[in-house]
Amino acid sequence: MEAQAVKSNLVLILDFGSQYTHLITRRIRALNVFSLCINGTSSLKSIADLSPTAIILSGGPHSVHAPNAPCFSPEFIDYVESNNIAVLGICYGLQLIVQQMGGEVKVAGKHEYGRMEIVVDKAEGLFGNKKVGDRQSVWMSHGDEAVRLPEGFEVVARSQQGAVAAVENRRRRFFGLQYHPEVTHSPEGMDTLKYFLFDICGITAGWTMEDVLDEELKVIKSTVGPEDLVICALSGGVDSTVAATLVHKAIGERLHCVFVDNGLLRWRERERVMETFERDLHLPVTCVDASEQFLSKLKGVTEPEKKRKIIGSEFISIFDSFGHELERKLGKKPTYLVQGTLYPDVIESCPPPGSGRTHSHTIKSHHNVGGLPKDMKLKLIEPLKLLFKDEVRELGKIMGVPQGFLKRHPFPGPGLAVRVPGDVTLGNHLDILRRADEIFIQSIKDAGIYDAIWQAFAVFLPVLTVGVQGDQRTHSYAIALRAVTSQDGMTADWYCFDQKFLAELSTKICNEVPGVNRVLLDITSKPPSTIEWE
């Protein structure tokens, strides 16, 4: 789905670096309104090309007084006013509106962080559905505050300390909240967002996954020529499978899928995945065993980013060879390559607002967005690139992808290479990890908690530890277990297992996996860590 395909009711979020920015996107989509997030410093043309109905300026870690503080384009205010577009600034976004429109922002005498109570001063505009004197708990996180408002603006709510909590200029359609309505710590925040979208902006809640399906089918059919051949890189995960099903629905047998065994798959993954493709999804899939090719290129490589780049490059090499084989058989070169890139993949490959960089400070490169060669001959089709994981699952359900497959935990494109720190080809590290991971996942399923967890997996730690097994001293490896809960993968919390479950699981892994004498549990959230280890 291309952003330009959304003709009306688009809520555009300008990202100024808040850790909550993409939560705004999710909250609005949950209201059946399409929302999209772009860099806050994007050009006016980038904004105007999307024709937004409403714009939200996110929070951010910067001060509007700081050198090179991120800001919207100089023509932004004239553009939104001339097009009657309502603007809501949140936290840093509010301060930006105040400063850029002639008001004054100063360092606050008392910083406000965490839960605070605000009081409604005026029951109109953003609080048109409230009463004067109404109180609500909100989540504050700011060190600066608005001390003088631009002409025509008024305060509509204050914090319990008397600081400005909400401002607006209804005539010019500018609104601002000093707190974060998008977080669950602001219990009435969603009501305020709803009121802004539906009552102030007049937006209609009508965006559904059925609309996405219809729109994407049209886009694919209009993009791919009537005789063009398309290759799809199937990983066995939810994303690539839904993408393949979607394209297959649009162009039929002109789609040729390839599943690559790169030697970095989980226990019996190849057999399980191919069975699902052939028996349940009826997708035309060719399986290529390239495990020796991948592992030989990875031998001796320890740096995580280099491993990802090598894997991405080898995938493209295989797709290229597959394309030549198709040309030999069918007499025509493939034109397109389908990938299951998701919105979080795109987001994590973008430069942070206010960083001063034109290229990404990479959290991790994805072989589908960060590892493609510039001279690649195949054109890309990425039908899911504006969707979050839960939306992809909903889309797959509509198209009849089996529920059991849709509920599978995410599995990274580079496979187990990101779960074996260092050289993945040493000894039997991969085999040890596969066996431990299989026990972990099967135990979770047997306990009936698989669906309550966003992602779970084992990690091989290349560290020898001393243990005692069978009355003998051992010098074996440690396995770390990682399980998280999340909504879209952008943030995550570790899953709290029952202690008895962990005790039994640790014993099982140490008893059944040769070479392991210690099991650890990763209890780190995202942030500060990523979900995967590398």
Side-chain angles (χ1 to χ4, degrees):
M1 178 179 57
E2 297 296 327
Q4 288 80 358
V6 182
K7 302 299 183 186
S8 62
N9 285 337
L10 166 66
V11 177
L12 185 63
I13 293 100
L14 297 189
D15 176 19
F16 291 101
S18 169
Q19 61 180 314
Y20 305 126
T21 297
H22 305 296
L23 188 54
I24 305 172
T25 310
R26 293 296 297 114
R27 293 284 186 254
I28 294 172
R29 291 190 184 187
L31 298 172
N32 296 117
V33 175
F34 184 67
S35 60
L36 187 64
C37 176
I38 65 174
N39 194 303
T41 59
S42 297
S43 69
L44 185 63
K45 184 180 185 304
S46 300
I47 296 171
D49 284 349
L50 295 170
S51 300
T53 300
I55 295 176
I56 295 178
L57 311 180
S58 85
H62 313 279
S63 166
V64 293
H65 303 297
N68 301 316
C71 185
F72 44 66
S73 69
E75 310 92 350
F76 175 78
I77 293 173
D78 287 340
Y79 165 74
V80 295
E81 289 195 286
S82 61
N83 287 277
N84 198 35
I85 299 171
V87 177
L88 172 64
I90 294 176
C91 198
Y92 179 83
L94 176 149
Q95 295 165 12
L96 207 53
I97 289 172
V98 170
Q99 185 206 52
Q100 293 295 309
M101 298 184 73
E104 187 177 4
V105 176
K106 286 186 175 181
V107 176
K110 292 183 178 180
H111 295 185
E112 294 181 320
Y113 299 109
R115 286 186 177 86
M116 302 284 291
E117 197 171 70
I118 65 167
V119 182
V120 175
D121 271 11
K122 295 191 176 181
E124 50 194 31
L126 284 173
F127 298 107
N129 58 343
K130 304 293 182 184
K131 296 178 182 177
V132 174
D134 278 358
R135 295 173 177 268
Q136 59 179 279
S137 179
V138 301
W139 187 258
M140 291 281 194
S141 181
H142 67 102
D144 291 350
E145 65 177 335
V147 295
R148 180 173 57 81
L149 299 186
E151 184 178 350
F153 278 75
E154 56 186 347
V155 177
V156 291
R158 292 186 181 275
S159 73
Q160 62 191 33
Q161 296 186 147
V164 171
V167 303
E168 59 188 45
N169 184 324
R170 292 190 301 284
R171 181 182 64 81
R172 299 179 70 179
R173 292 172 67 74
F174 279 89
F175 305 83
L177 296 171
Q178 187 55 72
Y179 61 91
H180 290 274
E182 69 273 22
V183 302
T184 54
H185 301 308
S186 297
E188 296 181 57
M190 278 298 285
D191 288 339
T192 304
L193 284 176
K194 284 182 189 176
Y195 199 78
F196 172 72
L197 296 174
F198 303 139
D199 294 84
I200 293 176
C201 301
I203 288 173
T204 302
W207 184 72
T208 66
M209 279 300 113
E210 284 81 1
D211 294 330
V212 172
L213 175 59
D214 292 342
E215 182 61 46
E216 194 51 50
L217 288 173
K218 292 176 187 174
V219 170
I220 295 169
K221 288 175 181 177
S222 65
T223 300
V224 179
E227 296 184 0
D228 287 341
L229 300 182
V230 179
I231 294 175
C232 181
L234 279 175
S235 69
V238 174
D239 310 333
S240 63
T241 301
V242 172
T245 304
L246 181 57
V247 175
H248 189 244
K249 191 177 180 69
I251 66 170
E253 297 308 307
R254 287 184 291 128
L255 172 69
H256 298 270
C257 299
V258 55
F259 175 74
V260 179
D261 182 350
N262 59 2
L264 301 166
L265 302 178
R266 291 170 290 194
W267 181 268
R268 296 194 68 245
E269 180 82 351
R270 174 175 165 180
E271 295 84 352
R272 291 169 176 173
V273 166
M274 287 301 295
E275 183 181 356
T276 299
F277 287 154
E278 294 167 0
R279 182 192 63 200
D280 300 324
L281 298 175
H282 310 295
L283 288 172
V285 184
T286 298
C287 182
V288 175
D289 185 352
S291 52
E292 187 175 329
Q293 177 179 334
F294 276 84
L295 294 178
S296 65
K297 289 292 178 66
L298 289 168
K299 188 174 180 62
V301 179
T302 59
E303 203 276 314
E305 198 60 22
K306 188 174 181 181
K307 286 197 287 187
R308 286 177 178 269
K309 294 293 186 182
I310 289 172
I311 292 167
S313 178
E314 289 308 302
F315 269 118
I316 295 302
S317 173
I318 289 168
F319 301 151
D320 192 46
S321 298
F322 181 68
H324 286 306
E325 182 65 18
L326 277 181
E327 182 182 6
R328 189 184 65 78
K329 287 181 179 179
L330 304 176
K332 187 176 179 60
K333 290 182 179 179
T335 308
Y336 292 94
L337 171 67
V338 178
Q339 292 194 141
T341 309
L342 298 194
Y343 200 29
D345 299 339
V346 176
I347 290 167
E348 289 190 341
S349 299
C350 292
S355 66
R357 287 185 288 270
T358 56
H359 296 88
S360 172
H361 175 79
T362 308
I363 297 173
K364 54 182 178 179
S365 69
H366 303 259
H367 73 265
N368 53 350
V369 290
L372 299 178
K374 293 179 181 178
D375 61 348
M376 188 180 75
K377 298 177 180 64
L378 295 170
K379 301 173 187 175
L380 275 181
I381 297 177
E382 298 174 298
L384 312 178
K385 69 180 179 182
L386 297 182
L387 300 180
F388 290 94
K389 176 73 78 172
D390 56 323
E391 294 169 332
V392 171
R393 288 190 168 116
E394 187 180 346
L395 186 63
K397 182 179 179 181
I398 294 170
M399 293 189 295
V401 177
Q403 274 292 95
F405 198 89
L406 290 175
K407 289 181 178 180
R408 294 189 85 200
H409 291 177
F411 187 62
L416 298 181
V418 298
R419 297 176 184 174
V420 179
D423 186 348
V424 302
T425 68
L426 291 175
N428 61 342
H429 294 184
L430 283 170
D431 289 334
I432 290 174
L433 176 58
R434 286 189 183 101
R435 297 186 66 172
D437 185 77
E438 176 69 7
I439 291 171
F440 183 28
I441 299 304
Q442 191 57 52
S443 297
I444 288 173
K445 290 178 178 178
D446 292 344
I449 56 178
Y450 184 84
D451 292 346
I453 297 171
W454 165 268
Q455 189 172 359
F457 54 89
V459 177
F460 177 89
L461 299 182
V463 179
L464 289 168
T465 72
V466 175
V468 178
Q469 292 171 294
D471 294 326
Q472 294 183 354
R473 179 182 183 274
T474 61
H475 204 210
S476 301
Y477 292 103
I479 288 289
L481 305 179
R482 177 83 159 138
V484 298
T485 57
S486 181
Q487 188 174 46
D488 51 34
M490 295 303 299
T491 60
D493 287 321
W494 58 281
Y495 182 82
C496 187
F497 288 106
D498 176 77
Q499 189 171 343
K500 184 172 181 291
F501 171 86
L502 288 175
E504 293 175 352
L505 175 60
S506 174
T507 300
K508 190 175 180 67
I509 290 174
C510 289
N511 284 345
E512 298 185 16
V513 183
V516 175
N517 65 2
R518 195 176 299 270
V519 177
L520 311 174
L521 179 66
D522 182 343
I523 57 169
T524 321
S525 63
K526 176 187 178 181
S529 73
T530 55
I531 293 177
E532 294 288 353
W533 271 53
E534 286 197 345

